[in-house]
Amino acid sequence: MQKLSDRSLNDFNEDHPETNFWTDGIKVFNQKTLLRGANPKTFIYDGIFAKDDRKCFCGENWLKDADVDTFEPLNYTYAIDKNNVYTITGKVKDADIATFKVLDDGKSLLGYNRIGIPEYTFYSYVKDKNNVYYHNYEGKPKVIKNADGDTFISLYDGYFAKDKNYVYGNGKIIKNADVKSWDTLSEIPNSYYSKDSKRIFYGFWEIKADYETFELEIPEKAKSVEYQLAKDKDNFYRNGEIISKEDFEKYSSKADR
C-alpha cells in the first residue's frame, strides 16, 4: 500500500484515479469527500481501499467493523481482514477467510478518459474452499453454482473464466461451449465474442453466425472494444445481434474516430 504522506499536498486531479485519496496536510479526502478523523500521517491506500492507525476505508466509506491491524487489499475489488472479506458493495457473506483467494486483478477496463488515462470498474472472480464467486458491480458477489473450484481460472479480463467442465461469461455458463477448444476472438479488452471448434458466441450465449466467414470489426489501433461489431457472409452484428448494413457502417465509422 502507498503512503499518503509520500505525495504532494492538494494534488487531487479528477482525471487521475490514483489521486482520489489526497490530503491538505491536516485532513484526508476521497475525491471531494472529507474522511472524518482520518490521519494523513499514517494513511495508506491501494485503489479504493485505505486505512490509517485507527480506521479502514472503502472509498469514502468507513468500514466500521474492519480490523486495522490485519486489513489489506487483495485486488481492485476485494479486501480482507481476520474477520471478513470486503468489496465496494459490502461484505462477502459466509466467505471462508482462511482459504479465500482472488483469481485476477479485480478490474475491467471501461475505456479511456479525455486525457487518455484508463478507467476501470469492479469485476472479479474469487474462490474459497466452499464456493466460486463473481462480482460484476451489480449488487453483491454471487456464487457460481456447479463451478469446480479446483480447476477454475479467470481469464483476467473481468468477464471470461473456465474450469474443467464449463466456460463462463459474466459469471454464467456459456451453454454448448466446448472447454477444450474454446477461446476468445480478440485479445483487445472488452471484446465479448468467442468461439470453440464449431460455434460462435457473444457474451454467454451462442449466436447463429457463419463459422467460416465470421470476423470482428475492430479498428487497427483500438485499445479497447466499444461497439462490439462483427460480420459474416450473411449478416452484420452488434452486441451479438443482427443489425442492418447501414447501422453497421454507422457504428464502424464511429469506432474509427
Side-chain angles (χ1 to χ4, degrees):
M1 299 179 77
Q2 302 177 64
K3 294 181 179 179
L4 192 61
S5 59
D6 289 342
R7 296 233 314 268
S8 301
L9 300 181
N10 302 306
D11 66 347
F12 171 62
N13 183 330
E14 63 183 7
D15 289 319
H16 288 271
E18 66 269 21
T19 69
N20 280 347
F21 290 110
W22 60 281
T23 180
D24 61 3
I26 300 173
K27 299 175 183 178
V28 178
F29 302 82
N30 176 251
Q31 299 184 1
K32 298 179 181 180
T33 301
L34 172 66
L35 303 185
R36 296 187 181 279
N39 182 354
K41 295 181 180 180
T42 60
F43 196 93
I44 56 178
Y45 65 96
D46 185 351
I48 63 165
F49 297 107
K51 69 178 182 178
D52 62 13
D53 55 323
R54 293 177 297 175
K55 294 181 177 181
C56 301
F57 301 89
C58 177
E60 64 186 48
N61 299 309
W62 170 37
L63 302 175
K64 64 180 181 178
D65 295 329
D67 178 72
V68 171
D69 292 335
T70 59
F71 182 84
E72 61 175 334
L74 296 176
N75 65 12
Y76 195 72
T77 298
Y78 288 91
I80 196 170
D81 66 14
K82 67 178 183 179
N83 300 312
N84 295 293
V85 177
Y86 306 88
T87 74
I88 194 169
T89 54
K91 299 174 185 176
V92 182
K93 185 179 180 181
D94 299 326
D96 183 73
I97 305 299
T99 61
F100 193 86
K101 180 181 180 181
V102 297
L103 301 177
D104 47 43
D105 59 8
K107 60 176 70 172
S108 179
L109 181 67
L110 285 174
Y112 292 81
N113 67 16
R114 58 183 180 176
I115 62 171
I117 302 296
E119 296 181 323
Y120 299 98
T121 191
F122 310 94
Y123 284 67
S124 188
Y125 288 98
V126 298
K127 68 179 181 180
D128 61 20
K129 70 176 184 178
N130 300 312
N131 296 299
V132 176
Y133 306 83
Y134 182 61
H135 193 307
N136 63 355
Y137 204 35
E138 297 177 2
K140 295 184 181 296
K142 298 173 179 62
V143 173
I144 303 177
K145 296 180 180 179
N146 300 318
D148 181 71
D150 292 337
T151 61
F152 194 96
I153 59 171
S154 168
L155 296 196
Y156 252 77
D157 59 4
Y159 194 85
F160 290 114
K162 62 182 180 179
D163 61 23
K164 69 177 183 179
N165 300 313
Y166 301 109
V167 181
Y168 304 85
N170 198 35
K172 300 176 182 179
I173 292 173
I174 303 178
K175 293 182 180 179
N176 300 322
D178 174 64
V179 176
K180 292 182 179 180
S181 63
W182 178 91
D183 200 359
T184 57
L185 281 173
S186 175
E187 294 182 356
I188 297 176
N190 290 0
S191 178
Y192 300 141
Y193 289 99
S194 64
K195 69 175 183 178
D196 63 14
S197 60
K198 297 179 179 179
R199 302 173 178 87
I200 303 292
F201 306 93
Y202 178 78
F204 49 88
W205 69 86
E206 181 181 354
I207 60 176
K208 300 300 182 181
D210 181 72
Y211 188 88
E212 298 301 326
T213 62
F214 188 86
E215 62 180 0
L216 304 187
E217 182 78 4
I218 302 175
E220 184 177 346
K221 296 182 179 180
K223 295 181 180 180
S224 65
V225 176
E226 183 175 3
Y227 292 106
Q228 306 293 337
L229 299 175
K231 62 184 179 181
D232 61 21
K233 69 180 182 65
D234 300 314
N235 295 299
F236 300 93
Y237 304 86
R238 181 177 181 235
N239 298 330
E241 302 286 345
I242 294 174
I243 61 173
S244 68
K245 181 179 180 180
E246 291 74 21
D247 282 345
F248 179 85
E249 291 175 345
K250 177 182 69 175
Y251 287 116
S252 183
S253 64
K254 288 182 178 181
D256 285 330
R257 293 174 187 171

